[in-house]
């Protein structure tokens, strides 16, 4: 845990306006390296970067014990200077960080990068060190990046203040990067250099004592030199601020790509429901990111490649129809294999396009999509470009993107250098003129040669590295176009039921009346339930069964048994009174033997429903992101398949059929092997009703779960309802059962 603005008891940050405008922070003209020394590898690395920083006018070395460092003049402190420096880069031991910051503040410096570790991430003593640092910055109106950071690389303004290696030849460009990991930042720089991805600014945020990742993202949203933002995200310290920043990026059409890492058991422990076991920190964060228009990716390679592609096509791809031009049959097969699980299609070449391709391809070529232009490309180097041009001319209505995977990037200039440059110039112009976006893709991941990078930069080309990362980047680009309308939708809240309360559920007593009230509210919110009767004795159960009609099910009623089937608390398909009486006695005895401390209140009797599709529908109140709707496979398949989709509330009722289509179980809803197709409008209404009930029950609710929501043609019923209330000294769990299969 880092100590800073998020530490309980820590100071409130009074200077938020300072971190909302970071333009000057990342473009200082005069900087000081405090703690510069001969023995420090960081000093050497930072100095190497400053030597290449065209945007810096002056670099001051500070060492109280030496007059020179690495052959350069050093001063004992900033008070020895005739004017303040714009920014101080601090590289001293953790016990001295606050002291040197205090001295720098007295000398007039207000911006700091603190490379030093051993503060907020280093236990109680480190937290106290960082707390003092935050207090100094708050009192002095100072901005601080870190501690425990590598620094930043501002390629746009030519400023490198970075404590790790920066590769030679790093191109400037339009991709901004925010990293909560300093060590991985150097790998992002390496990938950007290897693939010719131009960066505007890379920032590492470390412990985020003052400047947070959200602050840095907000700066890039406003930065005119940045078109797309790539984020390595370990945690979101202020979800509300992040949400506002991400929505601002969506409104401006500036894509954010995020690699969120880490999962947590906290989500699994947050509720008694099945959902708590399925939706942890990672799943809830990814769901929240997508709801804000942020594209989630799964690797550093995908992060860089997707950001590079969205930098070229910031609105994303309009669809998932691919045209592929390659010079290898194997590459065609690999692309097709990678396309299918990502829901890309490869419509066949037909009509005028097919005719034009046949006229241009060698006689032995098979004109199909993907198109293998064959080894004939060695003789006719422009053949792939010709095929790409024909797709643009004849297939602009049939394809959303063309993959050109047959371009050989030159390793070094040769005698035909002018010919090569002219060929790539024509390619770049064809790409600019094409109404169908064209992406260049290599067959494998490798670093481009210096000459190839020169060709890429002078023609403003984007190279997708390898088939896997390249296809994932295309998926991310298409995903952004799909997510953006959701981010920009009307977010009117779900309307609760007027006066909907459940007496006795939060003040310590759970009564039968409370359970009945929950069932009444469920129906009023639009979720049908089957008829049921509460039985205290075996005879009452038999009488209720006769009244409801056979066959019936029995389910034990107890606040202490949230998952009845796990302990023998459910009996199915009882077809006469004697069977009901016998099952009642045996069921209660079985549950009592497994849970001897449980208080058993009898059994619920309900009609037995025929086989249908079983869904899980729940809302959990996530501590970071608020209420989240989860829909998935229900019944016994819930935890076995882990087939769920998660969305932050509110989810409009009209969007729920699309949400259901993302589930593997969705094929059953369409009618499978002769079964009646589900009435999706009624299913959507029931799912929306669960949202409404969660909203009605209010902030004390921790989780509500219907499992299963039974669907049989045009019949939809909640067969089981679990409500889990937020823990308080007097809180109780309410478990209202509405029948089961």
């Amino acid at each position: 845990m880092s100590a800073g603005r998020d530490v309980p008891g820590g100071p409130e940050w009074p200077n938020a306006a300072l971190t909302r405008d970071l333009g000057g922070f990342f473009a200082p003209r005069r900087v000081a390296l405090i703690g510069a020394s001969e023995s420090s590898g960081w000093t050497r690395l930072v100095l190497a970067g400053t030597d290449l920083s065209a945007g810096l006018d002056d670099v001051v070395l500070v060492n109280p014990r030496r007059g020179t460092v690495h052959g350069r003049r050093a001063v004992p402190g900033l008070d020895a200077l005739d004017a303040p420096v714009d920014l101080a880069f601090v590289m001293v031991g953790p016990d001295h960080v606050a002291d040197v910051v205090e001295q720098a503040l007295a000398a007039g410096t207000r911006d700091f990068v603190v490379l030093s570790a051993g503060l907020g991430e280093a236990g109680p003593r480190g937290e106290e060190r960082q707390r003092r640092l935050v207090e100094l910055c708050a009192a002095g109106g100072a901005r601080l990046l870190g501690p425990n950071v590598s620094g930043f690389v501002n390629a746009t303004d030519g400023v490198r203040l970075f404590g790790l290696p920066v590769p030679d030849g790093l191109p400037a460009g339009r991709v901004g990067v925010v990293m909560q990991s300093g060590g991985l930042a150097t790998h992002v720089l390496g990938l950007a250099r290897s693939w010719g991805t131009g960066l505007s600014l890379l920032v590492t945020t470390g412990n985020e004592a003052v400047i947070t990742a959200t602050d840095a993202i907000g700066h890039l949203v406003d930065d005119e030199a940045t078109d797309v933002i790539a984020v390595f995200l370990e945690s979101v310290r202020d979800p509300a601020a992040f949400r506002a920043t991400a929505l601002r990026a969506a409104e401006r059409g500036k894509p954010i790509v995020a690699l969120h890492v880490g999962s947590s058991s906290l989500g699994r422990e947050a509720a008694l429901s099945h959902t708590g076991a399925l939706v942890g920190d990672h799943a809830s964060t990814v769901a929240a990111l997508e709801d804000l228009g942020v594209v989630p990716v799964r690797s550093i390679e995908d992060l860089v490649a997707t950001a590079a592609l969205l930098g070229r096509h910031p609105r994303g791809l309009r669809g998932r129809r691919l045209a592929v031009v390659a010079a290898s049959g194997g590459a065609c097969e690999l692309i097709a294999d990678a396309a299918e699980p990502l829901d890309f299609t490869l419509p066949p070449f037909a009509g005028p396009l097919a005719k034009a391709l046949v006229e241009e391809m060698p006689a032995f070529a098979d004109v199909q999509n993907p198109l293998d232009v064959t080894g004939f490309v060695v003789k006719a180097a422009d053949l792939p470009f010709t095929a790409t041009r024909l797709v643009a001319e004849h297939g602009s209505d049939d394809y959303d993107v063309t993959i050109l995977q047959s371009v050989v990037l030159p390793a070094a200039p040769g005698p035909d250098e002018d010919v090569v440059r002219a060929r790539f110039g024509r390619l770049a112009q064809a790409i600019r003129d094409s109404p169908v976006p064209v992406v260049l893709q290599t067959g494998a991941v490798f670093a481009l040669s210096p000459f190839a990078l020169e060709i890429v930069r002078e023609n403003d080309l984007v190279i997708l590295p390898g088939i896997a990362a390249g296809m994932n980047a295309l998926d991310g680009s298409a995903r952004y176009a799909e997510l953006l309308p959701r981010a920009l939708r009307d977010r009117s809240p779900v309307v609760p039921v007027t006066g909907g309360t459940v007496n006795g559920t939060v003040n310590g007593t759970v009564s039968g009346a409370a359970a009945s009230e929950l069932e009444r509210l469920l129906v009023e919110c639009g979720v049908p339930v089957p008829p049921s009767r509460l039985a205290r004795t075996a005879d009452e159960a038999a009488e209720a069964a006769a009244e409801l009609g056979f066959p019936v099910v029995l389910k034990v009623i107890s606040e202490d048994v949230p998952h009845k089937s796990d302990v023998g608390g459910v009996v199915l398909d009882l077809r006469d009174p004697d069977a009901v009486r016998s099952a009642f006695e045996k069921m209660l005895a079985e549950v009592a033997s497994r849970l001897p401390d449980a208080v058993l209140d009898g059994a619920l009797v309900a009609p037995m429903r025929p086989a249908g599709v079983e869904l899980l529908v729940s809302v959990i109140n996530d501590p970071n992101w608020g209420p989240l709707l989860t829909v998935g496979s229900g019944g016994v398949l819930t935890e076995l398949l882990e087939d769920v989709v998660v969305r932050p509330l509110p989810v409009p009722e009209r969007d729920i059929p699309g949400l259901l289509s993302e589930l593997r179980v969705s094929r059953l809803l369409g009618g499978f092997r002769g079964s009646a197709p589900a009435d999706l409008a009624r299913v959507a209404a029931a799912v929306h009703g669960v949202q409404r009930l969660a909203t009605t029950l209010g902030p004390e609710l921790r989780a509500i779960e219907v499992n299963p929501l039974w669907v049989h043609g045009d019949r939809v019923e909640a067969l089981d309802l679990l409500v889990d209330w937020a823990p308080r000294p007097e809180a109780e769990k309410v478990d209202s059962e509405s029948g089961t299969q």
Side-chain angles (χ1 to χ4, degrees):
M1 176 181 177
S2 64
R5 288 190 271 175
D6 59 337
V7 173
E12 293 295 325
W13 182 245
N15 302 318
L18 293 175
T19 56
R20 283 198 296 267
D21 181 9
L22 296 173
F25 185 95
F26 295 116
R29 305 297 298 183
R30 190 184 191 206
V31 302
L33 307 186
I34 301 179
S37 70
E38 299 279 355
S39 60
S40 170
W42 284 312
T43 300
R44 289 191 296 272
L45 289 168
V46 176
L47 280 175
T50 59
D51 287 344
L52 297 173
S53 297
L56 288 178
D57 295 332
D58 188 19
V59 179
V60 178
L61 306 187
V62 179
N63 187 312
R65 292 181 295 275
R66 297 179 63 93
T68 61
V69 174
H70 292 296
R72 309 183 192 205
R73 176 176 174 268
V75 299
L78 295 184
D79 55 357
L81 302 177
D82 57 356
V85 297
D86 298 327
L87 183 146
F89 194 96
V90 179
M91 303 178 291
V92 300
D95 287 327
H96 304 292
V97 172
D99 291 337
V100 301
V101 168
E102 186 173 23
Q103 294 163 12
L105 285 168
T109 300
R110 291 296 180 267
D111 286 347
F112 298 88
V113 174
V114 178
L115 179 143
S116 311
L119 286 93
E121 81 285 2
R125 185 179 177 187
E127 289 180 6
E128 182 56 37
R129 295 184 187 118
Q130 186 162 311
R131 186 175 284 107
R132 184 186 170 206
L133 197 60
V134 174
E135 290 170 349
L136 288 170
C137 291
R143 303 182 291 194
L144 184 145
L145 184 65
N148 192 25
V149 295
S150 301
F152 65 85
V153 177
N154 184 344
T156 300
D157 296 306
V159 178
R160 295 186 182 185
L161 289 170
F162 203 67
L164 291 172
V166 178
D168 293 335
L170 180 71
R174 311 290 296 180
V175 177
V177 181
V178 178
M179 302 285 294
Q180 286 185 320
S181 168
L184 281 177
T186 190
H187 299 295
V188 170
L189 292 170
L191 290 177
R193 155 60 180 80
S194 296
W195 302 341
T197 301
L199 303 185
S200 58
L201 172 68
L202 179 141
V203 182
T204 63
T205 59
N207 292 2
E208 301 186 2
V210 176
I211 296 173
T212 67
T214 299
D215 294 328
I217 295 168
H219 165 71
L220 292 173
V221 171
D222 297 328
D223 180 28
E224 293 183 358
T226 300
D227 290 336
V228 61
I229 304 165
V231 184
F232 180 87
L233 199 60
E234 293 172 333
S235 64
V236 178
R237 300 176 190 272
D238 186 343
F242 185 93
R243 180 180 288 110
T245 299
L247 288 176
R248 188 156 56 87
E251 290 165 357
R252 297 189 178 189
K254 185 170 287 192
I256 300 177
V257 184
L259 172 57
H260 178 260
V261 295
S263 59
S264 168
S265 62
L266 294 178
R268 296 179 178 87
E269 297 171 357
L272 293 176
S273 65
H274 290 288
T275 314
L278 297 173
V279 182
D281 175 68
H282 178 68
S284 60
T285 299
V286 168
L289 293 176
E290 291 185 328
D291 197 59
L292 298 170
V294 177
V295 179
V297 295
R298 296 182 178 179
S299 72
I300 288 289
E301 294 81 4
D302 292 348
L303 181 70
V304 176
T306 305
L309 182 58
L310 280 169
R312 171 55 53 81
H313 301 288
R315 294 187 178 183
L317 300 180
R318 66 184 183 185
R320 293 177 176 267
R321 300 170 300 171
L322 301 180
V324 178
V325 177
S328 162
C332 290
E333 292 165 353
L334 288 171
I335 293 171
D337 287 347
E340 185 172 341
L342 296 175
D343 293 328
F344 285 106
T345 61
L346 292 151
F349 296 140
L353 173 57
K355 181 180 179 181
L357 287 171
V358 167
E359 292 174 354
E360 294 291 343
M361 293 300 108
F364 54 84
D366 187 6
V367 174
Q368 60 179 351
N369 189 17
L371 177 65
D372 176 11
V373 297
T374 76
F376 196 73
V377 70
V378 175
K379 180 178 180 181
D382 280 346
L383 187 58
F385 306 160
T386 300
T388 302
R389 175 178 55 79
L390 292 175
V391 172
E393 291 176 358
H394 300 288
S396 60
D397 294 332
D398 301 317
Y399 301 96
D400 301 307
V401 62
T402 298
I403 297 175
L404 180 54
Q405 211 243 35
S406 55
V407 176
V408 178
L409 295 163
D416 60 345
E417 178 180 345
D418 292 342
V419 174
V420 171
R421 289 184 183 276
R423 180 181 301 127
F424 276 92
R426 293 195 300 275
L427 171 62
Q429 186 61 50
I431 290 174
R432 288 190 291 270
D433 293 342
S434 174
V436 180
V438 178
V439 299
L440 304 183
Q441 182 191 67
T442 61
V445 178
F446 54 84
L448 301 183
S449 69
F451 181 61
L453 286 172
E454 185 180 335
I455 293 292
V456 167
R457 285 197 294 269
E458 71 182 23
N459 290 286
D460 195 23
L461 300 174
V462 174
I463 307 295
L464 297 184
I467 292 172
M471 293 302 298
N472 287 341
L474 286 167
D475 176 57
S477 182
R479 188 73 176 137
Y480 177 70
E482 295 160 358
L483 292 174
L484 190 58
R486 190 201 305 175
L488 299 177
R489 74 180 188 275
D490 176 26
R491 293 175 179 265
S492 300
V494 177
V495 179
V497 172
T498 303
T501 59
V502 180
N503 296 324
T505 58
V506 188
N507 61 7
T509 303
V510 179
S511 64
S516 298
E517 178 66 7
L518 275 172
E519 183 174 305
R520 183 193 68 78
L521 283 176
L522 188 65
V523 173
E524 188 171 345
C525 288
V527 187
V529 299
S532 61
R533 302 289 184 272
L534 176 63
R536 305 287 184 179
T537 67
D539 286 338
E540 287 182 6
E543 292 173 4
E547 179 183 348
L548 293 169
F550 294 100
V552 298
V553 300
L554 293 183
K555 179 180 289 187
V556 68
I557 295 297
S558 173
E559 307 162 28
D560 303 316
V561 188
H563 300 303
K564 309 301 188 259
S565 59
D566 293 347
V567 293
V570 178
V571 183
L572 307 177
D573 200 21
L574 300 172
R575 295 183 172 273
D576 59 61
D578 289 340
V580 171
R581 292 188 186 92
S582 176
F584 183 95
E585 301 290 356
K586 290 180 179 179
M587 180 180 70
L588 266 61
E590 174 69 14
V591 174
S593 69
R594 297 195 189 188
L595 300 173
D597 295 329
V599 177
L600 308 182
D601 298 323
L604 195 79
V605 185
M608 177 75 182
R609 296 308 190 201
V613 181
E614 295 184 338
L615 299 175
L616 160 80
V617 184
S618 77
V619 174
I620 63 170
N621 194 10
D622 184 83
N624 292 319
W625 300 105
L628 302 174
L629 172 70
T630 299
V631 179
S633 300
V636 297
L637 299 179
T638 295
E639 291 175 359
L640 178 64
L641 294 182
E642 296 189 5
D643 176 28
V644 297
V645 178
V646 184
R647 294 281 189 275
L649 265 60
V651 180
E653 187 172 333
R654 65 179 179 274
D655 292 350
I656 292 174
L659 185 149
L660 293 169
S661 70
E662 298 182 33
L663 299 172
R664 281 178 283 172
V665 77
S666 64
R667 292 181 62 193
L668 298 178
L669 294 173
F672 188 73
R673 293 192 173 181
S675 63
D679 186 330
L680 291 182
R682 292 194 178 188
V683 178
V687 172
H688 191 266
V690 176
Q691 290 186 86
R692 194 176 183 202
L693 177 59
T695 304
T696 299
L697 295 179
E700 296 292 343
L701 181 71
R702 187 160 63 167
I704 182 171
E705 180 178 284
V706 171
N707 187 19
L709 180 71
W710 172 74
V711 182
H712 188 267
D714 61 356
R715 299 176 65 188
V716 180
E717 289 179 340
L719 301 189
D720 189 71
L721 173 65
L722 173 70
V723 177
D724 183 16
W725 299 95
R728 292 189 346 186
E730 74 280 9
E732 296 287 348
K733 306 292 190 298
V734 176
D735 185 10
S736 171
E737 307 296 350
S738 303
T740 188
Q741 291 184 14

